Amino acid sequence: MIYDFFTEYYWEIGIILFFYFFTVNFLTMVLSIVGGYNALKEFKELNKDNVIKNLKSNSLPKVTIVVPAYNESEIIVECLKNLHDISYHNKEIILVNDGSTDNTLQLLIEAFSLEQTPIEVKKILKTKPIRGVYKSKFFPDITVIDKENGLKHDALNAGLNLCSCDYVITIDADTFIDSNQFESIIRPMYMHPDTIAVGVGVRIANHSTLQYHNISLDAFRGNYFIGMQSLEYLRLFIIRQGFNYFGGNFCLSGAFTAFSYKALMYVEGFAPTFANDLEIIIRLHRYYLEKKIPYKIVQLSEPVAWTHVPEDYKTLAYQRMLWHRGLLESLWFHKRIFFTLEYSLFGFFVLNFALFAEALEPILELIAYLYVALGVCLGLISWPLLILIILVSWGCTVLTSFFSYMIEVFTYKKYRFNGNFLKLIAYSFIENFGYRQMTIIWRIRGFLSFYKRYEQVRKDYQTINARFRYE
Amino acid sequence: MNFESVAFFFLVFEIVSLACLFTALTYGSVYSSIHSSKSSATKTLISSQIVDSIINQKSFVLPFKFHTINNLSLLLDVLENFDCKFKGGKWEPLKREIYEKFLLKKARAFAKSRDWVKRNFAARCFSLCPSQDNLSLILLLMDDPVFLVRGVVSNTVVKMESKEGIFKILEKMSAEQGYSYWYYRDILLSSSNRVFEWIEEYSLDNSKTSFHLACLDVLEHPYFHLKKLNLEKEIRSSNPEIHLAALKILSHNPQVEAFKYISDDLEDNNLEIQTEAIKALEYCCYPDYLKKLENKLKDPSWTVRLNSAMTLLKNGEKGTKILSNQKLTANTNAYEVSQFALKYYWNFV
């Protein structure tokens, strides 16, 4: 009976699947083109950007950089040195040691001559108990908070409690800043005063070198997984810029994002979820749209932050599983926004895109693989058609990858026309055979993990909505 | 229409697009490397021509035939870089000569262009060689919707000391939201005493609070010296923002007459005003000021106590001695804050 049903409605199911993949790819292409246009426009603006040149004085806003750190002893000193040495002088750095079990705090105390100081941390946002606040005698802009472990969101909230500036930058401990590009985050604050969050281009720092606080890619020797992730990051940040024109992004990278302090306080800081970078952006959208306050959430094209990514299968698989679970959780927390005109283009387009093109995509792609495989087995799909389908789906990925390179070549040229660049081209040709299928498996594991944690998610949902008084 | 033909159609579309992208990619890579090396070569050539003109007193000759916006932008870039490094001497007349010969005509034409990049070019040109002849265009560009245009051209009015332009900057300061306020403020702070005198004159107009505040905010800068105290109305204002701005002016422009106001404000209910009055005592030696600061160490507010301690530290040996003499038995608050300041703030003073 199932066989009869399948053979009878095979092509109807095919049309539904075709319609889905066509829409997703078409929208991705449109977002890429618009994002590419945005990158070119911003690059052109940078050349004319005499404002920043004139702004090397006290008119630059003071920013607080909050760095949550948990067992980061390998990289923490380098990270803090990098942040301290960036040329932007009007800054304070708050590093939050989130109950590390290794010698992270000890290393910091030795490297920066820290001393415990009786500074009281305000209790605006609830966090786990603070063990101590440390200040450096020689680097007055550095403060270290030592607290009990409470995960990333808790560490960020502790940092926010001590923050004294109008703008806060949250940055991961394994992320490095390119000093040359850092000031670009200031531009949206001048151009559009209602900007509440600014995301920047994030690139991959593995195997690149840091010379005088500028990233050099001359020594880039990426392995297979780094190459694939470089491709993904290139594509992703072009697409994210496209969202600037369609109601704003639903996610800015947790590795480096600048927020308006006031906006973060309005929504009571970061929420207890794994993908807190994604959740906070959705919540900011929701708050400002509900209150009808004009706002802007912007994704910039400049590659400011360089982050370390997993280099082996196991770590990458775990990271992707957590990312997908985080995406599902965040969408679940804000499920009432979907399909509502009240939340304008963000609710009607952006979040639905996140749901259908990101969250549900691995399931539908798996169904499509099974559908094609069954079709071939049952003789419903001929071999030439199968080859055509494979080529078309392969072409889609290569096309977006090529487009992203083109934008890179015409703008910041971080991946120059040399060995690295050719390597990336080669990776784009093989991405659809193996790596893509792996990402589907990892993301489906994210689904299963979400299902396993469903009771906890429900509780978190109630806590978050009660805390933020949405329902 | 069947699946094969649809898939075939998409494949053809993708192959054509890929071919186009690959061509663009190769062209882009080659073009951008050639273009950037050509641009830097042209810039080097322009720079050497300028140096040659300065040393050998020759007139400047452009190293390219076509006066396109790209070429002229390169010329403008080089001129701006030179202008950052050289002032006066042979440079000024040469700069003006090049500007009038090659840039002025284009700048005037571009000032009303629809393209903001061209308007930005015009703004940069006007900023390079400010002249009263272009005042109407400069004022027009100051109202430009793009910040990169109006921001750049605002420098020009300060350089050429146009009263009308200064008024416009103050208006912009009071009207614009966000950090552009500080940008305009910085421009005004780099101006001459003559400009400050105009701002002082404008500050008498208190019909619009935001404009009035903007004027006071600029005047608080220590580089400017008030001729006479004329802030009676502001310091007695019921608006705490105006009161605070006036107090800042007084604290940064120390005068004997100011002490009575500062002394009153030391007891103000507003914590910000009280703190500012304490900070005012850093800059000058009013009668009995150390005694007043010592008393403030016992204040119930931590902010007031800490600021008093910091001010005492900044007063050098006398202040440090007062802090060291605080006894735990006499007053816990004063002792605690003194020890805190001595231990943690000695190197930040």
Side-chain angles (χ1 to χ4, degrees):
Chain A
M1 193 187 152
I2 294 171
Y3 172 80
D4 291 341
F5 175 82
F6 191 70
T7 46
E8 194 177 340
Y9 293 104
Y10 186 79
W11 294 110
E12 281 78 0
I13 298 169
I15 287 168
I16 293 169
L17 284 174
F18 168 78
F19 181 73
Y20 168 80
F21 285 108
F22 173 78
T23 313
V24 167
N25 282 308
F26 175 74
L27 289 176
T28 308
M29 201 60 91
V30 169
L31 287 168
S32 298
I33 291 168
V34 177
Y37 161 76
N38 184 65
L40 291 170
K41 198 184 93 183
E42 276 185 8
F43 185 70
K44 195 171 151 191
E45 268 182 21
L46 268 185
N47 288 340
K48 311 280 171 282
D49 212 340
N50 275 22
V51 178
I52 298 293
K53 215 191 276 178
N54 292 326
L55 283 176
K56 299 268 183 193
S57 58
N58 56 337
S59 45
L60 286 169
K62 194 174 177 185
V63 294
T64 302
I65 304 174
V66 180
V67 193
Y70 176 72
N71 290 352
E72 301 279 5
S73 57
E74 277 179 26
I75 213 163
I76 198 70
V77 175
E78 281 303 308
C79 161
L80 213 51
K81 274 186 185 163
N82 168 247
L83 291 176
H84 174 72
D85 291 344
I86 49 175
S87 61
Y88 191 88
H89 65 278
N90 219 357
K91 62 179 185 294
E92 65 171 12
I93 303 159
I94 299 174
L95 190 136
V96 187
N97 176 38
D98 191 29
S100 297
T101 49
D102 64 358
N103 58 344
T104 302
L105 183 65
Q106 202 50 43
L107 283 172
L108 288 170
I109 289 172
E110 281 164 20
F112 297 97
S113 310
L114 297 176
E115 276 188 18
Q116 195 161 359
T117 314
I119 293 175
E120 200 190 334
V121 181
K122 290 170 274 177
K123 284 174 185 146
I124 308 167
L125 305 170
K126 270 186 195 168
T127 63
K128 288 273 165 98
I130 307 284
R131 292 179 195 149
V133 179
Y134 295 80
K135 289 283 289 183
S136 167
K137 270 197 168 184
F138 307 109
F139 307 97
D141 54 345
I142 293 177
T143 308
V144 173
I145 299 176
D146 182 34
K147 64 179 274 296
E148 285 177 15
N149 182 257
L151 300 181
K152 189 180 169 186
H153 71 274
D154 200 62
L156 287 170
N157 286 343
L160 289 180
N161 280 340
L162 201 63
C163 165
S164 62
C165 306
D166 289 351
Y167 280 89
V168 184
I169 292 168
T170 60
I171 171 171
D172 286 349
D174 58 357
T175 301
F176 285 86
I177 308 272
D178 197 328
S179 184
N180 273 351
Q181 310 276 349
F182 184 80
E183 279 158 12
S184 60
I185 60 153
I186 303 303
R187 192 154 29 96
M189 299 170 194
Y190 277 96
M191 309 283 268
H192 310 286
D194 49 1
T195 306
I196 54 166
V198 183
V200 294
V202 178
R203 300 286 160 82
I204 288 166
N206 301 50
H207 299 291
S208 30
T209 49
L210 197 66
Q211 290 172 335
Y212 303 105
H213 308 289
N214 300 324
I215 298 281
S216 157
L217 268 177
D218 294 339
F220 175 78
R221 289 183 297 275
N223 69 9
Y224 174 76
F225 287 117
I226 296 176
M228 287 304 173
Q229 288 175 88
S230 301
L231 273 178
E232 285 180 324
Y233 276 55
L234 266 183
R235 279 200 306 260
L236 179 73
F237 285 98
I238 293 284
I239 292 170
R240 279 192 184 169
Q241 287 169 66
F243 280 115
N244 286 351
Y245 297 84
F246 295 98
N249 260 285
F250 62 92
C251 178
L252 299 179
S253 171
F256 184 105
T257 309
F259 293 98
S260 149
Y261 176 72
K262 227 189 269 177
L264 284 181
M265 286 297 129
Y266 283 154
V267 296
E268 299 191 26
F270 292 86
T273 162
F274 179 77
N276 49 55
D277 50 349
L278 192 147
E279 199 279 333
I280 190 85
I281 297 296
I282 301 179
R283 194 143 38 88
L284 282 170
H285 275 291
R286 193 170 165 182
Y287 180 88
Y288 277 78
L289 287 168
E290 278 175 5
K291 300 277 175 197
K292 295 187 173 57
I293 307 170
Y295 73 101
K296 254 185 196 319
I297 290 179
V298 188
Q299 170 72 44
L300 293 181
S301 58
E302 286 90 336
V304 177
W306 295 73
T307 192
H308 283 86
V309 294
E311 292 191 22
D312 58 290
Y313 178 89
K314 207 177 157 189
T315 326
L316 183 61
Y318 184 66
Q319 185 203 51
R320 291 302 161 95
M321 186 275 286
L322 287 179
W323 279 7
H324 207 73
R325 191 180 84 195
L327 170 69
L328 293 168
E329 282 179 13
S330 303
L331 294 179
W332 184 261
F333 293 152
H334 299 281
K335 58 181 185 286
R336 63 170 273 195
I337 305 183
F338 292 102
F339 303 107
T340 40
L341 282 171
E342 189 194 338
Y343 297 95
S344 74
L345 209 54
F346 179 74
F348 208 73
F349 171 68
V350 180
L351 267 203
N352 288 323
F353 183 85
L355 176 68
F356 289 104
E358 296 267 344
L360 299 177
E361 200 254 358
I363 298 281
L364 282 151
E365 201 163 332
L366 184 71
I367 291 172
Y369 282 128
L370 294 174
Y371 168 83
V372 173
L374 273 171
V376 173
C377 292
L378 297 172
L380 295 167
I381 289 184
S382 61
W383 284 104
L385 181 60
L386 177 69
I387 292 167
L388 270 176
I389 290 170
I390 292 171
L391 284 175
V392 168
S393 65
W394 171 81
C396 268
T397 321
V398 177
L399 207 60
T400 26
S401 298
F402 263 57
F403 184 76
S404 310
Y405 297 152
M406 198 184 69
I407 300 300
E408 176 70 16
V409 165
F410 279 105
T411 53
Y412 304 102
K413 301 177 193 70
K414 290 289 174 188
Y415 297 103
R416 286 181 195 151
F417 201 73
N418 56 17
N420 300 332
F421 187 77
L422 293 173
K423 213 183 249 181
L424 283 179
I425 295 234
Y427 279 136
S428 77
F429 283 113
I430 56 166
E431 190 189 357
N432 258 24
F433 307 105
Y435 183 75
R436 195 175 173 86
Q437 289 72 24
M438 281 191 258
T439 61
I440 293 170
I441 296 165
W442 300 335
R443 287 186 290 162
I444 287 173
R445 280 177 55 199
F447 258 103
L448 298 176
S449 170
F450 171 75
Y451 179 71
K452 270 187 210 161
R453 267 174 47 89
Y454 182 66
E455 275 310 309
Q456 183 60 40
V457 173
R458 271 188 61 184
K459 271 183 206 161
D460 287 346
Y461 167 74
Q462 279 159 3
T463 320
I464 286 174
N465 283 298
R467 190 168 143 199
F468 304 118
R469 295 175 221 105
Y470 284 133
E471 283 173 3
Chain B
M1 198 164 165
N2 55 18
F3 261 95
E4 277 92 345
S5 48
V6 172
F8 189 73
F9 167 77
F10 276 107
L11 188 64
V12 170
F13 170 75
E14 280 174 3
I15 289 169
V16 172
S17 308
L18 267 177
C20 294
L21 278 180
F22 194 78
T23 317
L25 198 61
T26 319
Y27 171 76
S29 308
V30 176
Y31 172 80
S32 65
S33 60
I34 291 174
H35 180 72
S36 62
S37 56
K38 204 176 159 188
S39 297
S40 58
T42 314
K43 277 187 180 178
T44 316
L45 214 59
I46 295 172
S47 302
S48 59
Q49 290 269 28
I50 290 174
V51 173
D52 196 35
S53 303
I54 292 174
I55 294 170
N56 300 323
Q57 304 273 345
K58 285 199 302 196
S59 69
F60 177 80
V61 185
L62 264 186
F64 41 77
K65 279 182 194 167
F66 305 108
H67 294 192
T68 59
I69 185 162
N70 281 344
N71 285 339
L72 292 177
S73 286
L74 292 178
L75 174 66
L76 186 58
D77 281 348
V78 176
L79 289 178
E80 281 174 341
N81 281 338
F82 267 86
D83 203 42
C84 289
K85 290 168 193 159
F86 302 111
K87 289 276 173 272
K90 292 173 188 172
W91 164 243
E92 286 297 331
L94 179 69
K95 181 179 79 174
R96 194 155 281 280
E97 182 201 319
I98 299 170
Y99 165 74
E100 282 170 2
K101 209 167 164 185
F102 303 108
L103 298 173
L104 180 60
K105 209 174 149 193
K106 282 273 182 209
R108 282 181 179 158
F110 286 165
K112 288 177 183 171
S113 166
R114 278 185 182 183
D115 182 1
W116 76 266
V117 176
K118 287 183 178 172
R119 295 201 302 275
N120 174 274
F121 177 86
R124 285 166 66 196
C125 289
F126 292 144
S127 184
L128 187 72
C129 283
S131 157
Q132 289 287 345
D133 301 344
N134 303 315
L135 186 63
S136 58
L137 288 175
I138 290 168
L139 292 176
L140 180 81
L141 288 173
M142 281 184 79
D143 287 326
D144 200 276
V146 179
F147 183 71
L148 290 177
V149 178
R150 64 175 189 272
V152 172
V153 86
S154 300
N155 272 317
T156 320
V157 289
V158 172
K159 279 187 198 165
M160 60 194 241
E161 297 187 348
S162 147
K163 201 173 176 182
E164 211 178 330
I166 298 297
F167 181 75
K168 209 154 194 171
I169 294 182
L170 286 166
E171 271 190 333
K172 293 261 161 237
M173 246 178 104
S174 57
E176 283 193 23
Q177 300 291 308
Y179 277 99
S180 49
Y181 176 89
W182 303 104
Y183 175 75
Y184 290 120
R185 182 178 181 265
D186 255 24
I187 291 175
L188 289 176
L189 291 184
S190 64
S191 55
S192 66
N193 249 15
R194 194 170 160 216
V195 172
F196 275 104
E197 278 165 20
W198 291 336
I199 299 170
E200 196 181 359
E201 201 180 296
Y202 288 135
S203 75
L204 297 174
D205 170 24
N206 55 5
S207 55
K208 204 174 152 199
T209 313
S210 56
F211 184 83
H212 192 46
L213 265 173
C215 295
L216 294 176
D217 196 10
V218 179
L219 291 177
E220 87 177 39
H221 201 265
Y223 295 163
F224 174 66
H225 299 286
L226 285 168
K227 281 180 189 157
K228 54 180 181 176
L229 259 174
N230 198 9
L231 292 163
E232 180 85 29
K233 228 189 267 174
E234 283 81 3
I235 207 90
R236 304 273 179 227
S237 168
S238 56
N239 183 337
E241 280 184 285
I242 300 227
H243 185 166
L244 189 66
L247 179 62
K248 279 183 180 169
I249 296 177
L250 294 183
S251 66
H252 293 154
N253 291 277
Q255 293 180 29
V256 182
E257 297 90 327
F259 186 61
K260 63 174 178 188
Y261 302 117
I262 293 171
S263 186
D264 289 349
D265 286 341
L266 279 172
E267 308 307 326
D268 200 280
N269 291 333
N270 187 321
L271 210 63
E272 239 181 311
I273 290 173
Q274 215 183 121
T275 314
E276 192 53 46
I278 291 167
K279 282 183 189 165
L281 298 178
E282 283 169 14
Y283 302 107
C284 43
C285 304
Y286 293 116
D288 286 339
Y289 75 105
L290 286 173
K291 192 82 202 146
K292 284 179 188 289
L293 283 172
E294 194 178 350
N295 286 337
K296 283 282 157 197
L297 289 176
K298 296 162 194 159
D299 197 276
S301 159
W302 166 256
T303 314
V304 171
R305 292 203 303 272
L306 183 64
N307 277 291
S308 310
M310 297 279 284
T311 307
L312 280 168
L313 268 183
K314 285 178 185 173
N315 272 284
E317 211 177 307
K318 282 181 192 170
T320 317
K321 204 173 165 189
I322 293 173
L323 290 174
S324 313
N325 286 344
Q326 298 303 313
K327 296 277 179 283
L328 179 63
T329 45
N331 189 299
T332 328
N333 278 350
Y335 175 77
E336 181 200 50
V337 79
S338 304
Q339 291 303 312
F340 182 83
L342 286 169
K343 189 168 181 193
Y344 298 108
Y345 283 89
W346 64 269
N347 58 346
F348 300 145
V349 176

